[in-house]
């Protein structure tokens, strides 16, 4: 049985004091129950080091929201895998649809980032998902397949064991429109079968596939009870300690 993994993608929210407040709230809430799921928080870069100190000796793990694929050099505004490791990150979100659309990241760029993250000892949360137009024209599986094949190109099976895949239909992100559990399950199953084809049955069975897109306490349980949904990548609902923890409790 795969353990559920709930990750909070804070996106561009919370300054340093806001981050301290949110993490303190989550820690206080954890005093009341024993989480059955793994928990990851992904604050903006500026709060990572403080977050790492605050979550020390708790079950909460730390991730960043992006990184660049070079080691160092003249890349103004970017951070490397090694830098993220140095402030205590274990995970990094890569290929989020906001990076793909607003910042023009291609499958090729994302593949370079995934490889570099793995080489640097970070675990990528590799995001994929179709737009509304793609879903309505019936090409969801085709789009997702290309993102998986290109994004994971030349990643070995042993490295894949450190990758989490997050299926986030673009039309469900920040819109309040969640995929139905059946719609999400169908794509998750497709992704797992594809991984079986590209790697092995074992790799497919062990892969954690998160769902993301308007996950909230009210819909988390039903989504997380699907066979191939192994967790959630939560945006808006992770910005309040109670709603984040309620999603963790649904696992
Ligand atoms: P929302 O939960 O706000 O829809 O965001 C989902 C997401 O993009 C997480 O990465």
């Amino acid at each position: 049985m795969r353990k559920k993994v709930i990750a909070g993608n804070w996106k561009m929210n919370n300054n340093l004091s806001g981050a301290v407040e949110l993490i303190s709230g989550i820690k206080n809430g954890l005093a009341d129950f024993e989480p059955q799921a793994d928990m990851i928080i992904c604050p903006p870069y500026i709060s990572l080091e403080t977050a790492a100190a605050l979550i020390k000796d708790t079950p909460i793990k730390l991730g960043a929201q992006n990184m660049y694929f070079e080691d160092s050099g003249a890349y103004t505004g970017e951070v490397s895998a090694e830098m993220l490791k140095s402030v205590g990150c274990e995970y990094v979100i890569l290929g989020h649809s906001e990076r793909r659309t607003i910042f023009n990241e291609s499958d090729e760029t994302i593949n370079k980032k995934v490889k570099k993250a793995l080489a640097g000892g970070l675990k990528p949360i590799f995001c994929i998902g179709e737009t509304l137009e793609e879903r309505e024209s019936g090409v969801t599986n085709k789009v997702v397949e290309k993102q998986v094949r290109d994004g994971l190109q030349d990643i070995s099976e042993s490295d894949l064991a450190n990758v989490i895949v997050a299926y986030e239909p673009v039309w469900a992100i920040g819109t309040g429109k969640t995929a139905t559990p059946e719609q999400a399950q169908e794509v998750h199953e497709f992704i797992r079968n594809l991984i079986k084809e590209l790697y092995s049955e074992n790799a497919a069975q062990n892969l954690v596939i998160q769902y993301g897109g308007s996950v909230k306490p009210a819909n988390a349980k039903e989504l997380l009870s699907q066979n191939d949904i192994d967790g959630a990548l939560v945006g808006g609902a992770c910005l309040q300690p109670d709603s984040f923890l309620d999603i963790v409790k649904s696992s």
Side-chain angles (χ1 to χ4, degrees):
M1 196 37 194
R2 294 174 296 270
K3 195 170 180 191
K4 303 273 195 250
V5 183
I6 309 297
N9 175 8
W10 295 18
K11 307 193 180 183
M12 197 172 76
N13 292 293
N14 285 316
N15 60 15
L16 186 58
S17 62
V20 171
E21 201 176 315
L22 177 48
I23 294 167
S24 306
I26 296 171
K27 281 169 64 176
N28 287 341
L30 283 175
D32 300 334
F33 77 107
E34 188 76 31
Q36 300 302 307
D38 283 346
M39 279 172 293
I40 306 167
I41 55 167
C42 304
Y45 293 138
I46 58 126
S47 299
L48 289 173
E49 190 179 358
T50 302
L54 291 171
I55 62 178
K56 200 170 177 286
D57 303 321
T58 77
I60 308 166
K61 293 169 179 169
L62 189 63
Q65 298 174 21
N66 184 29
M67 52 159 258
Y68 196 51
F69 55 73
E70 295 289 354
D71 290 323
S72 63
Y75 305 104
T76 302
E78 295 297 319
V79 304
S80 69
E82 191 273 327
M83 290 173 187
L84 294 180
K85 281 288 278 189
S86 78
V87 291
C89 286
E90 188 178 337
Y91 293 87
V92 59
I93 299 173
L94 295 173
H96 192 280
S97 71
E98 286 146 21
R99 301 294 320 170
R100 292 175 186 265
T101 56
I102 307 171
F103 302 98
N104 297 316
E105 288 193 15
S106 65
D107 288 323
E108 192 190 352
T109 305
I110 295 158
N111 177 246
K112 286 185 186 168
K113 292 185 175 192
V114 171
K115 283 187 200 155
K116 198 68 191 187
L118 288 163
L122 288 169
K123 298 173 184 163
I125 300 177
F126 165 59
C127 304
I128 54 176
E130 82 289 359
T131 62
L132 184 58
E133 200 185 352
E134 289 163 342
R135 173 159 286 265
E136 285 177 345
S137 47
V139 293
T140 297
N141 288 358
K142 213 171 132 199
V143 169
V144 165
E145 176 165 353
K146 180 172 164 32
Q147 290 170 335
V148 169
R149 282 183 183 271
D150 293 355
L152 296 181
Q153 195 165 12
D154 300 326
I155 305 293
S156 69
E157 184 162 338
S158 61
D159 273 342
L160 184 75
N162 289 317
V163 176
I164 291 177
V165 171
Y167 168 60
E168 299 203 301
V170 178
W171 49 272
I173 296 177
T175 57
K177 263 193 228 165
T178 327
T180 64
E182 295 73 25
Q183 279 174 322
Q185 165 59 27
E186 200 176 87
V187 182
H188 280 232
E189 193 178 341
F190 174 78
I191 296 166
R192 202 175 302 285
N193 285 333
L194 178 61
I195 293 295
K196 181 176 160 185
E197 188 190 318
L198 296 175
Y199 293 90
S200 69
E201 172 74 33
N202 191 46
Q205 286 312 319
N206 289 324
L207 181 71
V208 169
I209 310 176
Q210 293 177 322
Y211 168 78
S214 300
V215 176
K216 33 186 180 285
N219 59 27
K221 204 179 178 94
E222 223 189 330
L223 284 161
L224 291 166
S225 65
Q226 301 295 310
N227 266 348
D228 291 292
I229 302 186
D230 310 313
L233 183 54
V234 185
C238 79
L239 297 173
Q240 297 298 331
D242 287 352
S243 56
F244 182 63
L245 290 173
D246 282 346
I247 294 169
V248 173
K249 285 177 195 165
S250 307
S251 309

